Amino acid sequence: INDTICFGVPYKWDVTGKQYTGSCTVDTILSSIHGCDSVVRLNLVEMPEILPVVTKDTICAGEPFSWRGTLYNTTGTYNDTVVTAEGCDSIYTLMLQVWPAVAPSVVYDTICHGEKYFFNDTVYTESTTTTATLTNVNGCDSVVTLMLYVWPENRDSVIVTEYLCHGTSSFLWEVNNEV
């Protein structure tokens, strides 16, 4: 009798009622009701070990992940067992990490008239509100809104080019008819 077993699975031979593991050859002597002996041989072959196939992957929240015909969107370990042509189990494992969603953020900032503001590879010189989709350290989208205010040019400023003489401690000037 020739037979195969899967790796690590015991084989119970009905002729002897005993269990065998691994590849082996077993001879047993059977006696008939007429007193004749016959030898029955079992040739048992153990199939090689099938190592599990492990897939590790990460996705961003809200993205589906397709694995072995099924969509996943939750962190976890998932198994799929397939029976081979020899009847042995082949185990596939998915270890999936789902990065949490990143809440949109708002950056409020100000600059003075004539200054420049750099945001997302763009230079701004006027008040604006703009949104950019950036990639965070996990490779997921991060939405950032910039609300930039540019202070207007101060037209009431005065440029003083007067000098004080040695020994003079103060200087008065008139602005809008006031001293």
Side-chain angles (χ1 to χ4, degrees):
I1 298 173
N2 295 317
D3 212 345
T4 59
I5 59 172
C6 298
F7 180 83
V9 175
Y11 179 88
K12 184 175 181 182
W13 193 20
D14 292 336
V15 173
T16 62
K18 294 181 181 178
Q19 278 193 343
Y20 302 95
T21 57
S23 295
C24 61
T25 299
V26 178
D27 290 329
T28 191
I29 298 173
L30 300 176
S31 297
S32 71
I33 56 172
H34 304 292
C36 299
D37 290 341
S38 59
V39 177
V40 178
R41 175 172 281 173
L42 170 65
N43 290 312
L44 189 60
V45 176
E46 182 180 48
M47 299 301 295
E49 181 178 11
I50 300 173
L51 297 176
V53 177
V54 178
T55 301
K56 294 180 181 180
D57 217 326
T58 59
I59 60 172
C60 301
E63 295 178 359
F65 185 83
S66 179
W67 181 72
R68 303 195 54 76
T70 303
L71 292 177
Y72 297 89
N73 60 7
T74 306
T75 294
T77 300
Y78 305 94
N79 292 308
D80 185 17
T81 303
V82 177
V83 178
T84 66
E86 294 81 19
C88 303
D89 288 347
S90 180
I91 301 171
Y92 294 84
T93 300
L94 169 64
M95 299 172 75
L96 184 63
Q97 170 69 46
V98 179
W99 296 112
V102 178
S105 61
V106 179
V107 175
Y108 299 92
D109 216 342
T110 61
I111 59 174
C112 294
H113 177 79
E115 292 181 338
K116 295 178 182 177
Y117 192 92
F118 297 88
F119 176 73
N120 194 32
D121 297 326
T122 304
V123 178
Y124 296 95
T125 58
E126 297 178 358
S127 295
T128 190
T129 299
T130 185
T131 300
T133 301
L134 309 173
T135 302
N136 68 16
V137 295
N138 296 324
C140 301
D141 287 347
S142 175
V143 177
V144 179
T145 299
L146 169 65
M147 298 183 80
L148 179 65
Y149 179 76
V150 178
W151 290 102
E153 182 178 13
N154 188 349
R155 299 192 188 279
D156 293 335
S157 61
V158 176
I159 299 174
V160 178
T161 57
E162 298 293 327
Y163 298 95
L164 294 176
C165 296
H166 182 63
T168 308
S169 61
S170 63
F171 183 81
L172 296 176
W173 65 82
E174 186 179 313
V175 176
N176 296 333
N177 295 325
E178 295 181 20
V179 177

mmCIF file with all atom_site columns, all heavy atoms in Angstrom, residues 13 36 48 78-79 82 86 97 119 137 154 177-178:
data_model
loop_
_atom_site.group_PDB
_atom_site.id
_atom_site.type_symbol
_atom_site.label_atom_id
_atom_site.label_alt_id
_atom_site.label_comp_id
_atom_site.label_asym_id
_atom_site.label_entity_id
_atom_site.label_seq_id
_atom_site.pdbx_PDB_ins_code
_atom_site.Cartn_x
_atom_site.Cartn_y
_atom_site.Cartn_z
_atom_site.occupancy
_atom_site.B_iso_or_equiv
_atom_site.pdbx_formal_charge
_atom_site.auth_seq_id
_atom_site.auth_comp_id
_atom_site.auth_asym_id
_atom_site.auth_atom_id
_atom_site.pdbx_PDB_model_num
ATOM 1   N N   . TRP A 1 13  ? -3.077 3.482   10.259 1.00 0.00 ? 13  TRP A N   1
ATOM 2   C CA  . TRP A 1 13  ? -3.189 2.384   9.296  1.00 0.00 ? 13  TRP A CA  1
ATOM 3   C C   . TRP A 1 13  ? -4.224 1.413   9.815  1.00 0.00 ? 13  TRP A C   1
ATOM 4   O O   . TRP A 1 13  ? -4.079 0.802   10.880 1.00 0.00 ? 13  TRP A O   1
ATOM 5   C CB  . TRP A 1 13  ? -1.834 1.719   9.106  1.00 0.00 ? 13  TRP A CB  1
ATOM 6   C CG  . TRP A 1 13  ? -1.758 0.788   7.935  1.00 0.00 ? 13  TRP A CG  1
ATOM 7   C CD1 . TRP A 1 13  ? -2.573 0.757   6.856  1.00 0.00 ? 13  TRP A CD1 1
ATOM 8   C CD2 . TRP A 1 13  ? -0.795 -0.241  7.738  1.00 0.00 ? 13  TRP A CD2 1
ATOM 9   N NE1 . TRP A 1 13  ? -2.192 -0.217  5.981  1.00 0.00 ? 13  TRP A NE1 1
ATOM 10  C CE2 . TRP A 1 13  ? -1.085 -0.853  6.492  1.00 0.00 ? 13  TRP A CE2 1
ATOM 11  C CE3 . TRP A 1 13  ? 0.293  -0.698  8.454  1.00 0.00 ? 13  TRP A CE3 1
ATOM 12  C CZ2 . TRP A 1 13  ? -0.334 -1.901  5.975  1.00 0.00 ? 13  TRP A CZ2 1
ATOM 13  C CZ3 . TRP A 1 13  ? 1.054  -1.736  7.945  1.00 0.00 ? 13  TRP A CZ3 1
ATOM 14  C CH2 . TRP A 1 13  ? 0.737  -2.338  6.706  1.00 0.00 ? 13  TRP A CH2 1
ATOM 15  N N   . CYS A 1 36  ? -2.808 -19.358 6.250  1.00 0.00 ? 36  CYS A N   1
ATOM 16  C CA  . CYS A 1 36  ? -1.739 -18.859 5.375  1.00 0.00 ? 36  CYS A CA  1
ATOM 17  C C   . CYS A 1 36  ? -1.348 -17.455 5.813  1.00 0.00 ? 36  CYS A C   1
ATOM 18  O O   . CYS A 1 36  ? -2.196 -16.628 6.139  1.00 0.00 ? 36  CYS A O   1
ATOM 19  C CB  . CYS A 1 36  ? -2.187 -18.844 3.928  1.00 0.00 ? 36  CYS A CB  1
ATOM 20  S SG  . CYS A 1 36  ? -2.614 -20.463 3.294  1.00 0.00 ? 36  CYS A SG  1
ATOM 21  N N   . PRO A 1 48  ? 6.632  17.408  2.039  1.00 0.00 ? 48  PRO A N   1
ATOM 22  C CA  . PRO A 1 48  ? 7.482  18.430  2.683  1.00 0.00 ? 48  PRO A CA  1
ATOM 23  C C   . PRO A 1 48  ? 6.616  19.471  3.407  1.00 0.00 ? 48  PRO A C   1
ATOM 24  O O   . PRO A 1 48  ? 5.463  19.711  3.043  1.00 0.00 ? 48  PRO A O   1
ATOM 25  C CB  . PRO A 1 48  ? 8.240  19.076  1.525  1.00 0.00 ? 48  PRO A CB  1
ATOM 26  C CG  . PRO A 1 48  ? 7.939  18.276  0.318  1.00 0.00 ? 48  PRO A CG  1
ATOM 27  C CD  . PRO A 1 48  ? 6.776  17.394  0.602  1.00 0.00 ? 48  PRO A CD  1
ATOM 28  N N   . TYR A 1 78  ? -4.857 38.424  9.394  1.00 0.00 ? 78  TYR A N   1
ATOM 29  C CA  . TYR A 1 78  ? -5.874 37.649  8.697  1.00 0.00 ? 78  TYR A CA  1
ATOM 30  C C   . TYR A 1 78  ? -5.232 36.409  8.093  1.00 0.00 ? 78  TYR A C   1
ATOM 31  O O   . TYR A 1 78  ? -4.099 36.467  7.607  1.00 0.00 ? 78  TYR A O   1
ATOM 32  C CB  . TYR A 1 78  ? -6.520 38.498  7.592  1.00 0.00 ? 78  TYR A CB  1
ATOM 33  C CG  . TYR A 1 78  ? -7.082 39.798  8.118  1.00 0.00 ? 78  TYR A CG  1
ATOM 34  C CD1 . TYR A 1 78  ? -6.334 40.973  8.087  1.00 0.00 ? 78  TYR A CD1 1
ATOM 35  C CD2 . TYR A 1 78  ? -8.360 39.848  8.659  1.00 0.00 ? 78  TYR A CD2 1
ATOM 36  C CE1 . TYR A 1 78  ? -6.843 42.163  8.579  1.00 0.00 ? 78  TYR A CE1 1
ATOM 37  C CE2 . TYR A 1 78  ? -8.878 41.043  9.149  1.00 0.00 ? 78  TYR A CE2 1
ATOM 38  C CZ  . TYR A 1 78  ? -8.116 42.188  9.111  1.00 0.00 ? 78  TYR A CZ  1
ATOM 39  O OH  . TYR A 1 78  ? -8.625 43.367  9.602  1.00 0.00 ? 78  TYR A OH  1
ATOM 40  N N   . ASN A 1 79  ? -5.947 35.286  8.143  1.00 0.00 ? 79  ASN A N   1
ATOM 41  C CA  . ASN A 1 79  ? -5.435 34.033  7.600  1.00 0.00 ? 79  ASN A CA  1
ATOM 42  C C   . ASN A 1 79  ? -6.362 33.497  6.517  1.00 0.00 ? 79  ASN A C   1
ATOM 43  O O   . ASN A 1 79  ? -7.578 33.670  6.592  1.00 0.00 ? 79  ASN A O   1
ATOM 44  C CB  . ASN A 1 79  ? -5.309 32.980  8.712  1.00 0.00 ? 79  ASN A CB  1
ATOM 45  C CG  . ASN A 1 79  ? -4.234 33.353  9.701  1.00 0.00 ? 79  ASN A CG  1
ATOM 46  O OD1 . ASN A 1 79  ? -3.109 33.632  9.323  1.00 0.00 ? 79  ASN A OD1 1
ATOM 47  N ND2 . ASN A 1 79  ? -4.568 33.365  10.971 1.00 0.00 ? 79  ASN A ND2 1
ATOM 48  N N   . VAL A 1 82  ? -5.655 27.262  2.322  1.00 0.00 ? 82  VAL A N   1
ATOM 49  C CA  . VAL A 1 82  ? -5.974 26.644  1.035  1.00 0.00 ? 82  VAL A CA  1
ATOM 50  C C   . VAL A 1 82  ? -5.487 25.202  1.092  1.00 0.00 ? 82  VAL A C   1
ATOM 51  O O   . VAL A 1 82  ? -4.394 24.924  1.579  1.00 0.00 ? 82  VAL A O   1
ATOM 52  C CB  . VAL A 1 82  ? -5.273 27.410  -0.114 1.00 0.00 ? 82  VAL A CB  1
ATOM 53  C CG1 . VAL A 1 82  ? -5.543 26.742  -1.443 1.00 0.00 ? 82  VAL A CG1 1
ATOM 54  C CG2 . VAL A 1 82  ? -5.714 28.850  -0.137 1.00 0.00 ? 82  VAL A CG2 1
ATOM 55  N N   . GLU A 1 86  ? -2.441 17.789  -2.862 1.00 0.00 ? 86  GLU A N   1
ATOM 56  C CA  . GLU A 1 86  ? -2.144 16.597  -2.065 1.00 0.00 ? 86  GLU A CA  1
ATOM 57  C C   . GLU A 1 86  ? -3.021 16.521  -0.821 1.00 0.00 ? 86  GLU A C   1
ATOM 58  O O   . GLU A 1 86  ? -2.905 15.600  -0.028 1.00 0.00 ? 86  GLU A O   1
ATOM 59  C CB  . GLU A 1 86  ? -0.659 16.584  -1.649 1.00 0.00 ? 86  GLU A CB  1
ATOM 60  C CG  . GLU A 1 86  ? 0.303  16.443  -2.801 1.00 0.00 ? 86  GLU A CG  1
ATOM 61  C CD  . GLU A 1 86  ? 0.560  17.769  -3.514 1.00 0.00 ? 86  GLU A CD  1
ATOM 62  O OE1 . GLU A 1 86  ? 0.288  18.844  -2.940 1.00 0.00 ? 86  GLU A OE1 1
ATOM 63  O OE2 . GLU A 1 86  ? 1.026  17.731  -4.656 1.00 0.00 ? 86  GLU A OE2 1
ATOM 64  N N   . GLN A 1 97  ? -1.483 46.866  8.856  1.00 0.00 ? 97  GLN A N   1
ATOM 65  C CA  . GLN A 1 97  ? -1.486 48.030  9.752  1.00 0.00 ? 97  GLN A CA  1
ATOM 66  C C   . GLN A 1 97  ? -2.190 49.167  9.021  1.00 0.00 ? 97  GLN A C   1
ATOM 67  O O   . GLN A 1 97  ? -1.797 49.530  7.916  1.00 0.00 ? 97  GLN A O   1
ATOM 68  C CB  . GLN A 1 97  ? -0.047 48.448  10.093 1.00 0.00 ? 97  GLN A CB  1
ATOM 69  C CG  . GLN A 1 97  ? 0.067  49.778  10.815 1.00 0.00 ? 97  GLN A CG  1
ATOM 70  C CD  . GLN A 1 97  ? -0.472 49.721  12.226 1.00 0.00 ? 97  GLN A CD  1
ATOM 71  O OE1 . GLN A 1 97  ? -0.185 48.804  12.969 1.00 0.00 ? 97  GLN A OE1 1
ATOM 72  N NE2 . GLN A 1 97  ? -1.285 50.683  12.597 1.00 0.00 ? 97  GLN A NE2 1
ATOM 73  N N   . PHE A 1 119 ? 4.827  78.671  1.541  1.00 0.00 ? 119 PHE A N   1
ATOM 74  C CA  . PHE A 1 119 ? 3.958  77.572  1.959  1.00 0.00 ? 119 PHE A CA  1
ATOM 75  C C   . PHE A 1 119 ? 3.749  76.628  0.781  1.00 0.00 ? 119 PHE A C   1
ATOM 76  O O   . PHE A 1 119 ? 3.317  77.053  -0.292 1.00 0.00 ? 119 PHE A O   1
ATOM 77  C CB  . PHE A 1 119 ? 2.603  78.120  2.440  1.00 0.00 ? 119 PHE A CB  1
ATOM 78  C CG  . PHE A 1 119 ? 1.602  77.060  2.809  1.00 0.00 ? 119 PHE A CG  1
ATOM 79  C CD1 . PHE A 1 119 ? 1.741  76.324  3.969  1.00 0.00 ? 119 PHE A CD1 1
ATOM 80  C CD2 . PHE A 1 119 ? 0.513  76.811  1.990  1.00 0.00 ? 119 PHE A CD2 1
ATOM 81  C CE1 . PHE A 1 119 ? 0.811  75.347  4.313  1.00 0.00 ? 119 PHE A CE1 1
ATOM 82  C CE2 . PHE A 1 119 ? -0.429 75.839  2.323  1.00 0.00 ? 119 PHE A CE2 1
ATOM 83  C CZ  . PHE A 1 119 ? -0.265 75.112  3.489  1.00 0.00 ? 119 PHE A CZ  1
ATOM 84  N N   . VAL A 1 137 ? 4.444  61.496  7.537  1.00 0.00 ? 137 VAL A N   1
ATOM 85  C CA  . VAL A 1 137 ? 5.538  60.531  7.660  1.00 0.00 ? 137 VAL A CA  1
ATOM 86  C C   . VAL A 1 137 ? 5.116  59.102  7.357  1.00 0.00 ? 137 VAL A C   1
ATOM 87  O O   . VAL A 1 137 ? 5.949  58.276  7.010  1.00 0.00 ? 137 VAL A O   1
ATOM 88  C CB  . VAL A 1 137 ? 6.181  60.594  9.070  1.00 0.00 ? 137 VAL A CB  1
ATOM 89  C CG1 . VAL A 1 137 ? 6.850  61.917  9.310  1.00 0.00 ? 137 VAL A CG1 1
ATOM 90  C CG2 . VAL A 1 137 ? 5.162  60.306  10.145 1.00 0.00 ? 137 VAL A CG2 1
ATOM 91  N N   . ASN A 1 154 ? 2.005  100.712 6.617  1.00 0.00 ? 154 ASN A N   1
ATOM 92  C CA  . ASN A 1 154 ? 1.753  101.781 7.595  1.00 0.00 ? 154 ASN A CA  1
ATOM 93  C C   . ASN A 1 154 ? 2.120  103.113 6.944  1.00 0.00 ? 154 ASN A C   1
ATOM 94  O O   . ASN A 1 154 ? 3.280  103.445 6.801  1.00 0.00 ? 154 ASN A O   1
ATOM 95  C CB  . ASN A 1 154 ? 2.578  101.542 8.858  1.00 0.00 ? 154 ASN A CB  1
ATOM 96  C CG  . ASN A 1 154 ? 2.191  102.505 9.954  1.00 0.00 ? 154 ASN A CG  1
ATOM 97  O OD1 . ASN A 1 154 ? 1.460  103.465 9.727  1.00 0.00 ? 154 ASN A OD1 1
ATOM 98  N ND2 . ASN A 1 154 ? 2.694  102.248 11.144 1.00 0.00 ? 154 ASN A ND2 1
ATOM 99  N N   . ASN A 1 177 ? 0.279  118.636 13.028 1.00 0.00 ? 177 ASN A N   1
ATOM 100 C CA  . ASN A 1 177 ? 0.142  119.915 13.741 1.00 0.00 ? 177 ASN A CA  1
ATOM 101 C C   . ASN A 1 177 ? 0.227  119.747 15.273 1.00 0.00 ? 177 ASN A C   1
ATOM 102 O O   . ASN A 1 177 ? -0.313 120.530 16.015 1.00 0.00 ? 177 ASN A O   1
ATOM 103 C CB  . ASN A 1 177 ? -1.149 120.634 13.378 1.00 0.00 ? 177 ASN A CB  1
ATOM 104 C CG  . ASN A 1 177 ? -1.149 121.039 11.915 1.00 0.00 ? 177 ASN A CG  1
ATOM 105 O OD1 . ASN A 1 177 ? -0.084 121.398 11.374 1.00 0.00 ? 177 ASN A OD1 1
ATOM 106 N ND2 . ASN A 1 177 ? -2.299 120.978 11.274 1.00 0.00 ? 177 ASN A ND2 1
ATOM 107 N N   . GLU A 1 178 ? 0.833  118.698 15.749 1.00 0.00 ? 178 GLU A N   1
ATOM 108 C CA  . GLU A 1 178 ? 1.033  118.514 17.172 1.00 0.00 ? 178 GLU A CA  1
ATOM 109 C C   . GLU A 1 178 ? 2.490  118.313 17.439 1.00 0.00 ? 178 GLU A C   1
ATOM 110 O O   . GLU A 1 178 ? 3.223  117.762 16.634 1.00 0.00 ? 178 GLU A O   1
ATOM 111 C CB  . GLU A 1 178 ? 0.246  117.286 17.689 1.00 0.00 ? 178 GLU A CB  1
ATOM 112 C CG  . GLU A 1 178 ? -1.266 117.469 17.561 1.00 0.00 ? 178 GLU A CG  1
ATOM 113 C CD  . GLU A 1 178 ? -2.014 116.258 18.101 1.00 0.00 ? 178 GLU A CD  1
ATOM 114 O OE1 . GLU A 1 178 ? -1.430 115.496 18.885 1.00 0.00 ? 178 GLU A OE1 1
ATOM 115 O OE2 . GLU A 1 178 ? -3.187 116.089 17.733 1.00 0.00 ? 178 GLU A OE2 1
#
